[in-house]
């Protein structure tokens, strides 16, 4: 009797990373900040699969996507799916993000509240699945980069003010 090899083999145990939480204050109202972290995010989001994506955007509606479109043919990647969207208050999406092709799921939440200085922004990131060792440090470093080194300067830039337009 011939036996067949197992359909699935495991070389690494799935795991969960410790939750990441970051709190920051940004200039602008919660609606302004929400609008900057949804729609076209290419001015400040610099982690992508291609060197120069054609489009990089988040559709702020339940079932909407966090897409990276590579070219005019529409080829690209779905990094995550929006599962909660309330303009000016909360955005939540889940997906593999940079670990496409692995059994990994990130749940990312942006909570926004008014603050005398603009907007209190609370990021929460939870991850589970086939995660590499040391993923907590990597995730913390990436989100520090995205929020402190990319988004915050963008929200304070003339480019953002020009894109936002007069109110």
């Amino acid at each position: 009797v011939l036996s067949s090899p197992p359909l699935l083999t495991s070389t690494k145990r799935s795991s969960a990373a410790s939750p990441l939480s970051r709190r920051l204050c940004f200039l602008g109202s919660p609606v302004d900040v929400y609008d900057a972290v949804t729609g076209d995010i290419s001015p400040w989001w610099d982690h992508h699969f291609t060197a120069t994506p054609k489009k990089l955007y988040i559709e702020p509606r339940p079932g909407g996507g966090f897409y990276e479109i590579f070219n005019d043919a529409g080829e690209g990647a779905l990094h995550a799916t929006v599962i909660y969207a309330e303009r000016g208050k909360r955005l939540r999406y889940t997906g593999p993000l940079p670990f496409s092709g692995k059994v990994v799921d990130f749940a990312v939440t942006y909570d926004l509240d008014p603050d005398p200085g603009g907007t209190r922004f609370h990021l929460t990131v939870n991850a589970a699945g086939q995660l590499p060792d040391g993923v907590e440090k990597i995730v913390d470093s990436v989100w520090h980069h995205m929020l402190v080194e990319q988004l915050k300067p963008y929200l304070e830039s003339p480019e953002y003010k020009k894109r936002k337009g007069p109110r």
Side-chain angles (χ1 to χ4, degrees):
V1 174
L2 297 173
S3 66
S4 18
L7 293 176
L8 298 173
T9 58
S10 176
T11 57
K12 178 162 177 45
R13 220 180 71 201
S14 292
S15 62
S18 299
L20 169 69
S21 179
R22 282 194 170 272
R23 295 177 193 274
L24 298 99
C25 246
F26 292 128
L27 293 179
S29 72
V31 167
D32 290 340
V33 174
Y34 185 92
D35 289 350
V37 299
T38 60
D40 178 12
I41 60 171
S42 61
W44 64 272
W45 189 280
D46 66 353
H47 282 54
H48 28 77
F49 291 142
T50 65
T52 54
K54 175 91 175 155
K55 290 172 99 179
L56 191 64
Y57 62 100
I58 296 176
E59 297 173 321
R61 61 177 176 77
F66 177 169
Y67 295 102
E68 177 181 345
I69 304 302
F70 301 156
N71 53 39
D72 290 332
E75 298 169 330
L78 172 62
H79 294 292
T81 301
V82 174
I83 60 170
Y84 188 103
E86 188 174 2
R87 188 171 184 223
K89 295 182 179 179
R90 174 177 283 168
L91 181 74
R92 181 174 292 138
Y93 52 86
T94 62
L97 295 175
F99 295 99
S100 183
K102 300 224 186 286
V103 181
V104 173
D105 197 26
F106 282 86
V108 177
T109 302
Y110 305 153
D111 284 309
L112 300 90
D113 290 299
D115 184 86
T119 297
R120 277 177 302 186
F121 186 94
H122 181 202
L123 167 77
T124 307
V125 179
N126 290 283
Q130 296 172 323
L131 300 167
D133 291 336
V135 73
E136 288 93 350
K137 288 181 182 177
I138 296 166
V139 169
D140 185 53
S141 173
V142 167
W143 280 106
H144 172 84
H145 169 74
M146 297 306 265
L147 299 177
V148 176
E149 298 170 9
Q150 293 294 115
L151 179 59
K152 187 175 188 319
Y154 171 66
L155 290 170
E156 298 168 359
S157 74
E159 177 190 358
Y160 170 70
K161 290 175 180 129
K162 183 179 175 183
R163 286 174 71 112
K164 184 177 118 178
R167 294 248 170 190

